[in-house]
């Protein structure tokens, strides 16, 4: 590993795709279900790679090829070795919902005063995590590593690779039930991050308002908590959800004094719940479900001793994109485009949020199927359809094979194409339109 690491340090970085070969890089010949990276090793060298790491001797055609037992394992080991050599502090983020948004918010805040690198997009699996670690430079103070999972033990494996110093679980909901087997399986897998941190006596940032994650932290002391109630290290309150506006400051018990003239105790002259004047910040995000994401970023800023002004600038500088809680104008309507992904928990939260957006009288719902629910698919899609029935909507469109099987009064379309043929004939005006669905449904096609 030492020899390979010396080659890595002298290289321009690593690459796993011959279509994106960098001059002087090291190509890792990963394998997938329908391709074998070994077959492209020679092409990588031709395009300018300094070396190619392979695990099939049949493709060993150059002294610039490095033969290893398994390319993926080698990539992961190199990433861990690099992480140890630099000693950069690593923050791990996982959860059922909000991982990427929270990661980007934390990066936006901490970058105000620190040199920070973070996972690009949602490259959060056993390939993406090592690639993130290998991008760390000696100049970086912190690395924020997003960790995703769709089966048990995956987070534990990613922790072994990244060796995080800090961690945060955004939420635990009904996501990837097909791989986890049950909601308890989701809890157990997300808990693998906290299990690693506790075993290595590392610090956990936690949402004191989240009963599930709080249960996982019973008896552990290295915790910095944020929340909307007294008792947390940091108090964060939601002032508005359209967009998300918060105020934050040190939590303080209300000080009471007795006054001889009056029988009722009086509160000392201070802000209720805060030790002193709180700071307010207005984000570009919408929805109550984004409140905890914003609050977590503030907590990380406070923990790493950034000024409140810097934290405020970080929160207000982040602009969502890539179909995550984007507000768009479209044909005289306001569209809440939240189509990057969906599971039962995030879908329910999105519906609750649009119901609460009282500034819009007319609302339209466009929902695409939720994937990876296994035996729970029919039940969970029906639950969402039932949720919709409790409210009045200007229009509702349910798209995909699972939604098409639900019992509801709303228009159902088994394919996106069938839905779009009907949707493009509508003439909605001055409506708020929610578009949400799993990534595979690509529901943003409705307006893009």
């Amino acid at each position: 590993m030492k020899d390979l690491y010396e080659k890595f340090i002298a290289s321009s970085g690593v690459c796993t795709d011959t279509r994106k070969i960098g001059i002087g890089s090291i190509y890792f010949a990963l394998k997938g279900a329908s391709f074998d990276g070994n077959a492209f090793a020679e092409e990588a060298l031709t395009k300018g790679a300094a070396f190619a790491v392979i695990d099939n001797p049949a493709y060993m055609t150059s002294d610039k090829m490095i033969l290893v037992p398994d390319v993926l394992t080698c990539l992961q080991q190199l990433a861990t070795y690099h992480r140890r050599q630099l000693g950069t502090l690593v923050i791990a983020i996982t959860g059922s919902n909000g991982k990427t948004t929270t990661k980007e918010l934390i990066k936006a805040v901490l970058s105000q005063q620190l040199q920070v690198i973070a996972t690009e997009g949602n490259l959060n699996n056993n390939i993406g995590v090592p690639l993130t670690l290998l991008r760390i430079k000696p100049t970086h103070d912190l690395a924020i590593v997003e960790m995703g999972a769709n089966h048990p033990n995956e987070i534990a494996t990613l922790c072994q690779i990244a060796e995080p110093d800090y961690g945060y679980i955004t939420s635990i909901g009904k996501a990837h039930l097909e791989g986890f087997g049950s909601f308890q399986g989701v809890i157990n897998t997300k808990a693998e991050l906290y299990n690693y941190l506790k075993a290595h006596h590392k610090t956990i940032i936690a949402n004191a308002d989240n009963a599930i994650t709080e249960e996982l932290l019973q008896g552990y002391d290295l915790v910095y908590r944020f929340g909307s109630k007294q008792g947390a290290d940091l108090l964060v309150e939601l002032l508005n959800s359209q967009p998300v506006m918060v105020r934050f400051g040190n939590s303080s018990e209300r000080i009471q004094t007795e006054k001889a003239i009056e029988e009722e105790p009086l509160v000392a002259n201070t802000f209720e719940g805060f030790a002193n004047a709180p700071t307010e910040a207005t984000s570009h995000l919408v929805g109550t479900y984004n409140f905890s994401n914003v609050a977590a970023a503030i907590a990380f800023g406070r923990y790493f001793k950034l000024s409140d002004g810097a934290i405020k600038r970080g929160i207000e500088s982040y602009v969502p994109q890539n179909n995550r809680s984007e507000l768009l104008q479209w044909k005289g309507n306001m569209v809440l485009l939240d189509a990057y992904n969906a599971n039962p928990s995030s879908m329910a939260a999105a519906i609750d949020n649009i119901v609460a957006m009282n500034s819009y009288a007319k609302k339209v719902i466009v929902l695409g199927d939720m994937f990876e629910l296994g035996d729970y698919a029919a039940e969970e899609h029906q639950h969402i359809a039932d949720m919709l029935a409790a409210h009045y909507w200007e229009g509702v469109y349910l798209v995909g094979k699972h939604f098409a099987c639900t019992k509801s009064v709303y228009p159902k379309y088994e394919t996106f194409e069938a839905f779009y043929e009907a949707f493009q004939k509508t003439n909605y005006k001055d409506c708020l339109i929610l578009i949400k669905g799993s990534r595979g449904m690509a529901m943003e096609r409705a307006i893009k």
Side-chain angles (χ1 to χ4, degrees):
M1 183 55 64
K2 183 178 179 181
D3 181 60
L4 177 59
Y5 187 65
E6 290 176 354
K7 289 180 171 62
F8 165 72
I9 292 299
S11 75
S12 61
V14 302
C15 185
T16 61
D17 188 340
T18 53
R19 295 168 297 182
K20 302 176 182 178
I21 289 293
I23 302 300
S25 65
I26 298 179
Y27 170 70
F28 280 77
L30 298 175
K31 293 187 289 291
S34 58
F35 68 92
D36 182 354
N38 287 281
F40 302 96
E42 193 167 327
E43 178 186 344
L45 295 176
T46 301
K47 289 183 173 180
F51 297 95
V53 179
I54 63 174
D55 52 17
N56 187 337
Y59 293 93
M60 191 79 175
T61 60
S62 168
D63 58 3
K64 291 185 177 181
M65 292 186 182
I66 302 170
L67 183 64
V68 299
D70 182 80
V71 171
L72 177 57
T73 300
C74 180
L75 178 70
Q76 295 168 346
Q77 292 174 342
L78 179 65
T80 303
Y81 191 90
H82 179 58
R83 181 256 183 281
R84 291 176 179 173
Q85 294 302 305
L86 294 184
T88 306
L89 295 174
V90 173
I91 298 169
I93 307 292
T94 193
S96 300
N97 304 306
K99 293 186 294 296
T100 301
T101 297
T102 302
K103 174 207 61 183
E104 294 296 336
L105 280 165
I106 295 172
K107 180 184 178 184
V109 168
L110 297 182
S111 294
Q112 298 299 312
Q113 294 182 356
L114 300 168
Q115 294 297 312
V116 182
I117 190 171
T119 300
E120 293 182 336
N122 68 330
L123 297 175
N124 56 25
N125 61 8
N126 60 351
I127 298 174
V129 167
L131 290 177
T132 297
L133 296 174
L134 290 169
R135 290 173 45 236
I136 301 175
K137 303 296 182 186
T139 53
H140 289 126
D141 300 304
L142 288 163
I144 307 172
V145 178
E146 181 179 330
M147 296 181 176
N150 56 22
H151 59 266
N153 299 317
E154 195 166 4
I155 297 298
T157 298
L158 297 179
C159 284
Q160 292 298 326
I161 297 170
E163 299 181 343
D165 301 285
Y166 309 92
Y168 172 61
I169 297 176
T170 60
S171 64
I172 300 180
K174 295 178 179 180
H176 304 295
L177 292 177
E178 185 176 25
F180 293 125
S182 66
F183 181 50
Q184 186 60 49
V186 180
I187 296 175
N188 295 342
T189 302
K190 301 304 179 185
E192 290 168 7
L193 171 59
Y194 284 175
N195 292 341
Y196 175 90
L197 294 168
K198 288 189 287 187
H200 293 81
H201 308 289
K202 302 295 185 178
T203 299
I204 294 171
I205 309 298
N207 182 354
D209 297 336
N210 188 320
I212 298 177
T213 55
E214 280 297 284
E215 181 67 25
L216 300 176
L217 294 172
Q218 291 296 316
Y220 191 67
D221 295 329
L222 292 178
V223 183
Y224 181 83
R225 288 180 169 86
F226 67 89
S228 60
K229 301 174 184 176
Q230 290 291 346
D233 299 289
L234 172 70
L235 186 63
V236 188
E237 292 184 350
L238 178 65
L239 301 179
N240 199 321
S241 63
Q242 316 299 331
V244 174
M245 180 181 180
V246 301
R247 65 177 179 176
F248 61 94
N250 293 335
S251 177
S252 173
E253 294 296 334
R254 296 179 66 177
I255 303 171
Q256 294 186 333
T257 59
E258 294 290 341
K259 209 170 184 180
I261 303 176
E262 300 176 10
E263 294 182 0
E264 295 294 328
L266 297 178
V267 179
N269 186 23
T270 183
F271 284 85
E272 183 177 350
F274 294 95
N276 37 47
T279 299
E280 294 186 359
T282 302
S283 75
H284 293 277
L285 293 161
V286 297
T288 53
Y289 54 87
N290 273 310
F291 168 57
S292 60
N293 300 335
V294 172
I298 294 171
F300 274 93
R302 271 302 194 89
Y303 181 83
F304 285 101
K305 303 188 184 307
L306 271 69
S307 69
D308 285 354
I311 295 172
K312 174 182 171 72
R313 288 195 302 274
I315 294 298
E316 296 183 345
S317 69
Y318 172 67
V319 179
Q321 52 188 346
N322 296 330
N323 308 322
R324 289 184 173 91
S325 296
E326 290 186 75
L327 273 178
L328 308 171
Q329 291 285 346
W330 179 73
K331 294 184 178 180
N333 302 286
M334 180 66 74
V335 176
L336 177 52
L337 182 60
D338 194 14
Y340 185 81
N341 216 334
N343 57 55
S345 301
S346 66
M347 190 77 85
I351 293 170
D352 286 341
N353 175 66
I354 197 170
V355 168
M357 296 177 74
N358 296 322
S359 55
Y360 296 90
K362 299 187 294 183
K363 301 171 184 178
V364 177
I365 300 288
V366 179
L367 302 181
D369 273 356
M370 302 173 288
F371 294 165
E372 298 184 56
L373 295 178
D375 294 339
Y376 296 89
E379 174 187 345
E380 296 297 343
H381 283 83
Q382 185 62 53
H383 175 67
I384 295 299
D386 293 342
M387 276 190 70
L388 294 174
H391 307 280
Y392 169 77
W393 308 101
E394 191 73 11
V396 173
Y397 301 85
L398 302 178
V399 187
K401 293 181 179 180
H402 293 302
F403 271 128
C405 293
T406 58
K407 296 178 181 179
S408 69
V409 298
Y410 305 117
K412 295 172 286 187
Y413 305 90
E414 190 167 327
T415 67
F416 179 87
E417 290 71 23
F419 149 72
Y420 188 68
E421 183 178 352
F423 190 65
Q424 66 179 342
K425 296 176 183 177
T426 61
N427 190 32
Y428 292 117
K429 294 292 182 184
D430 301 319
C431 291
L432 173 63
I433 304 174
L434 170 67
I435 300 178
K436 189 168 181 63
S438 280
R439 181 85 301 270
M441 291 297 296
M443 294 303 295
E444 68 276 7
R445 291 178 289 167
I447 61 168
K448 289 189 176 181

